[in-house]
Structures are given as structure tokens and as C-alpha cells.
Amino acid sequence: RRGQFGSELEWLALNEVYVGERDPCRASVLSCSADKYNNGEPVRLKCSGILCCTGTGSSAWAAEVNRVRHHHVRAVLKGFEQSGLSSFASQMDKDEREALVRKTAAAANSVLEEQALPPHAAWLQLLVREPIMAGDVSDY
């Protein structure tokens, strides 16, 4: 069909949908279930929201949300050092440490890219944004 702006397709398209509170300062409390997770039983979540994306959306907003940045890796290394779990990174010079940060972020992002849905996928990818966990993690 020809439309005002050129060819019109007969299909509807959707990249992603964000489900969360209208007020961005409030946390969402959601009960969610998925066929292949937790035997389909609902799971209670407290978070800033859930991003549901299709295959075409999994390489857009969802990919950006998941991207591991260098400051994320630095924060994890610092947390390990402060907790006494590891001190290997603190023994490196600045250039070695930054090389580790770059390689770690690149490796993490490579895995995330492999997990992106193909554009024609018939299922959705669900991403929990900023989960809030208190107490025993097994409660969530």
C-alpha cells in the first residue's frame, strides 16, 4: 500500500515496553511469572520497573540498559578489595588495572550480545531494572 510517507506495511511492530511506576521516584512492586522460570509460579519483585523487549528491541534500549561500563568494573574490583575477597587488582599498576577493566567490560558485553534475541524471535526478553533486594536473596 502507498501511504503519505511512502510504502506502508501491513504489520504492526513493537520494540519494547517499559512497565513501572508513573512517578520515577517510587519503586515498583510487581508479581511476575514466566513459563520457564520458577515453574511458572509468580515471583515478587521490587525494582524500578521491567523492560519487555522483542528481538528488534533487544539490540536497542535493552542492549544499552545491560551494557557493562568501565566504571561498573572498577566498582566491582573496589568492592572485592574492600571486602577482602581479592587484592590482586590493587597490586597492579594503573595501566595494568585499566587494561583489566577494559578486557573485563569487553568480555561481559560480548556475552550479553550473544544473549540478545534474534530480530525474528517469537518470545520476549524481560529485564528487571534496578532490583531492590533486602534480607535473604532467596526470598526474591
Side-chain angles (χ1 to χ4, degrees), residues 22-95:
R22 179 177 287 175
D23 179 356
C25 297
R26 294 187 57 191
S28 300
V29 179
L30 306 167
S31 179
C32 303
S33 64
D35 294 342
K36 295 183 180 181
Y37 179 76
N38 200 35
N39 296 320
E41 293 296 318
V43 175
R44 185 177 168 271
L45 300 170
K46 190 171 185 180
C47 57
S48 67
I50 293 180
L51 180 62
C52 310
C53 65
T54 64
T56 56
S58 71
S59 62
W61 189 14
E64 191 60 28
V65 165
N66 274 336
R67 193 162 324 283
V68 176
R69 310 252 185 248
H70 293 177
H71 69 272
H72 298 142
V73 177
R74 286 187 202 100
V76 169
L77 289 174
K78 184 176 180 180
F80 279 153
E81 292 164 3
Q82 289 176 344
S83 67
L85 291 173
S86 177
S87 63
F88 76 93
S90 63
Q91 298 169 4
M92 297 177 169
D93 68 33
K94 184 178 179 181
D95 291 338

